[in-house]
Structures are given as structure tokens and as C-alpha cells.
Amino acid sequence: AADEPLDVAVPVLGWDPLREAIAEHLRTMRAVVRPPESIAVTAGGREGLGLLLAALGVRSVGVEEPGYPSLRQVVTRAGAEIVALPTDQSGLVTDALPDRAPDLVLVTPSHQYPLGGSLPIDRRQALLDWAERRGVWVVEDDYDSALRYTSQPLPALTAMDGSDRVILLGTFAKTLTPALATGFLVLPESVLPLVAAERHAVGMTVSLVTQRAVGHYLAAGGLTRHTQRMRHLYRRRRAAVVAVLDGIEGASVRPMDGGLHAVVECARLGLSEADLLARLGKAGVIVTGLSAYWSTADSPPGIVFGFGAAGEADLARGLATIADVLSRWR
């Protein structure tokens, strides 16, 4: 509000009304019931993960293979070893979790990035059981769970956690805008003082002005209404991607139950990923190679692109260009 003073200290873990609004949002949207006192405000997913790794003194981190490159960079910059964890069409393969367990695992159970699987309930429970036995911290990256199109999301790992091993990593970058640079951690009681001490040492990274704006927006129900509108919009865009690209001989669109990106695998086209990216770039379409999400050289050739930020006309032109390039290579 305009009459709220700004010459006050920002609480070490965040503005209390924002923490309360996040707790209520998680209760209604993700069935995660945690007190506001367990929430730490962050400057987004990467800053939150870096804060957590420093607070816990983590030396090794299990990450999904393939997985989000920017979060892997946070791990390596923190000086921790990366342990690749295999995935399949349903997400993390819990039967292949290592005997030599890392200190922490980073998972995207609601919507595996970039391949799109949603971790089944039996695998979720297997992961929690394994983490409890091994004393492993599980970071649940819930970055776009609200943007689901085909069914209701499965329960969050955090909601299923009975041993206080799960830490929820959230951001408003996907549902609102990355420009806010605002996110949160939901922390077990044992971790809370460690993160508070680390935050006290490095300082709060989100301005009080931003925290108040996001807090008021959440409390007024703005995010819930916005998410409902965007879910309808992105469902139409997803349908456009499938309509244009699915069925091109030699290429296949990965199933998309949610999220703001598409993956097109091109193994049957008989071309190198580098050549495909070069031809698309020459045609004016910049996409990411699927290999960028693997830490090894075992990835199939393909492309990854977002469809959330582009306008309808730009998306249509881009899809037509991708379809033309793929069709010419048959």
C-alpha cells in the first residue's frame, strides 16, 4: 500500500505478510500445509538453490539427466560434485538411485524438465523412502506445477514428506514474470536456522518494495486468477505446436502435460543436431539443442523451445518455419 513505510529493516527470511501469502497459496494450490515461519523469500530458483547449498554445506548433488542447465551451473559454482540420475518418460528412475548417495538430490516431479514426465505416486514414495534411509535432502523444484493442462497434478513431494527431508524450491518466474526475481524455499524445521544464518550473512536479495507488491497480489487472489487465464492460453498454444509439428516424418513431439516449452526429437531424420540448429538459425528461428540438457554425449538429437512469451503471430510464424526446415530434411 502507498502509505506503508519503506524505512524499515527487511526481516532476514522475508516480509512476514508475503510469507503468509505464500503459505496460503501453497495450501490452496498444492495441498502443502506449512507455517509461514518455514518459508524463506528468495530472488528466484537459482538464488534459492545457491542459498540452500551454502547453508547445508553440500558437497554432492544428484540431478536429473537430462536436467535444467542453469541449476546445474549453480551446483558447480558452489563447488559441489554433480551426480547424474537417469530419467525416463515418467521422470526420475527411482530403481536406479545410487547406493553411494549424494548429500542432496534436485528433482522436478510435477513436470520433468525438459522431457515432461510426471513422477508417478509409487516413485514419489520410493524416493522419499530412499532419502530417509540414506539421510539425503530432497529439493523439489516446483517451478511450473500450476501450468498443467491434462489433469490435476499429483501431490507435491513436500505434502507427502513425513520425515522432514524435502525442501520445496519455488519461483514466480513462470506464472508471473522472471522480471520479479522472486521465489521461495519451504524448509524443514532443522534447516530453517541454517538458512537464516546464511541469509543474515549475505543479506536479503529481494527489495521490500517487491516483496510487498507480490504479497498484496497473492493475498488479493491475483495469482490464482492470472494462472487460470494463462492455463487456457497456454493450452491453446500447446495445441498449436502439436497441430503443426506432430506427424512430420522423422520427428516427434514429446508429450506435453504442462509447462511452457516443447521438445521435438529428431533422431529419425538422419541429421546432426548442430546442422539442424544452424539451418533454423539461418531461417530466423533460435532454439536450444536437446543435447544442452545432458551432461553426457548420450542425448538424442532434437530441439527445445518455449511458447509462453511469443505472441500468437510470432508463434505461428516460428512453428511454420520449424515445420518447413524439418520437412525439407526428410
Side-chain angles (χ1 to χ4, degrees):
D3 58 349
E4 290 179 333
L6 295 175
D7 57 341
V8 295
V10 182
V12 67
L13 290 180
W15 189 53
D16 287 341
L18 174 56
R19 297 165 77 195
E20 293 166 5
I22 291 172
E24 178 61 17
H25 172 73
L26 292 172
R27 185 188 68 81
T28 57
M29 297 296 289
R30 298 295 285 126
V32 172
V33 181
R34 294 291 188 275
E37 295 77 22
S38 69
I39 293 171
V41 176
T42 71
R46 284 177 287 181
E47 198 271 338
L49 179 60
L51 177 72
L52 184 63
L53 296 179
L56 293 175
V58 169
R59 294 168 297 177
S60 58
V61 178
V63 298
E64 295 168 333
E65 178 81 339
Y68 216 128
S70 62
L71 291 184
R72 289 183 178 180
Q73 292 169 10
V74 173
V75 174
T76 55
R77 289 182 67 86
E81 174 193 2
I82 287 182
V83 179
L85 305 177
T87 63
D88 61 15
Q89 69 276 7
S90 297
L92 183 70
V93 180
T94 51
D95 287 344
L97 289 169
D99 292 330
R100 180 176 172 268
D103 298 328
L104 178 149
V105 297
L106 176 64
V107 295
T108 52
S110 294
H111 185 219
Q112 200 279 327
Y113 193 89
L115 298 183
S118 180
L119 198 63
I121 196 73
D122 58 334
R123 292 196 192 184
R124 294 176 187 234
Q125 191 59 58
L127 173 60
L128 294 175
D129 293 343
W130 174 82
E132 183 177 8
R133 290 194 307 271
R134 305 282 181 172
V136 175
W137 296 109
V138 177
V139 175
E140 178 180 17
D141 184 359
D142 212 36
Y143 71 102
D144 69 353
S145 63
L147 300 174
R148 190 171 178 85
Y149 314 127
T150 59
S151 63
Q152 291 298 315
L154 292 169
L157 280 177
T158 309
M160 298 173 60
D161 180 27
S163 58
D164 287 338
R165 303 304 308 176
V166 179
I167 298 159
L168 184 64
L169 176 70
T171 176
F172 298 114
K174 295 293 184 182
T175 48
L176 290 175
T177 169
L180 279 175
T182 304
F184 56 88
L185 292 165
V186 182
L187 302 163
E189 187 175 353
S190 61
V191 177
L192 199 61
L194 302 176
V195 171
E198 184 66 22
R199 174 62 84 206
H200 181 77
V202 301
M204 171 53 71
T205 51
V206 185
S207 75
L208 183 57
V209 173
T210 299
Q211 291 193 49
R212 283 176 170 170
V214 176
H216 289 309
Y217 186 71
L218 289 178
L223 180 58
T224 300
R225 293 189 294 271
H226 174 76
T227 301
Q228 290 170 346
R229 291 194 300 270
M230 292 300 100
R231 192 182 291 127
H232 293 303
L233 171 64
Y234 298 146
R235 184 183 290 116
R236 293 199 304 271
R237 293 186 177 183
R238 180 197 70 153
V241 172
V242 174
V244 175
L245 300 182
D246 202 29
I248 294 177
E249 186 179 347
S252 60
V253 180
R254 294 280 306 190
M256 296 179 291
D257 293 335
L260 299 176
H261 74 279
V263 176
V264 182
E265 293 182 336
C266 307
R268 292 178 289 114
L269 280 179
L271 64 138
S272 74
E273 186 179 279
D275 286 340
L276 175 58
L277 295 178
R279 292 206 179 189
L280 286 171
K282 187 176 180 180
V285 176
I286 306 302
V287 298
T288 303
L290 186 54
S291 62
Y293 299 88
W294 262 263
S295 60
T296 66
D298 298 331
S299 69
I303 59 174
V304 181
F305 60 90
F307 54 80
E312 301 289 338
D314 287 340
L315 178 62
R317 284 192 294 268
L319 291 176
T321 301
I322 294 172
D324 181 62
V325 170
L326 292 177
S327 297
R328 287 172 182 271
W329 218 310
R330 288 181 297 181

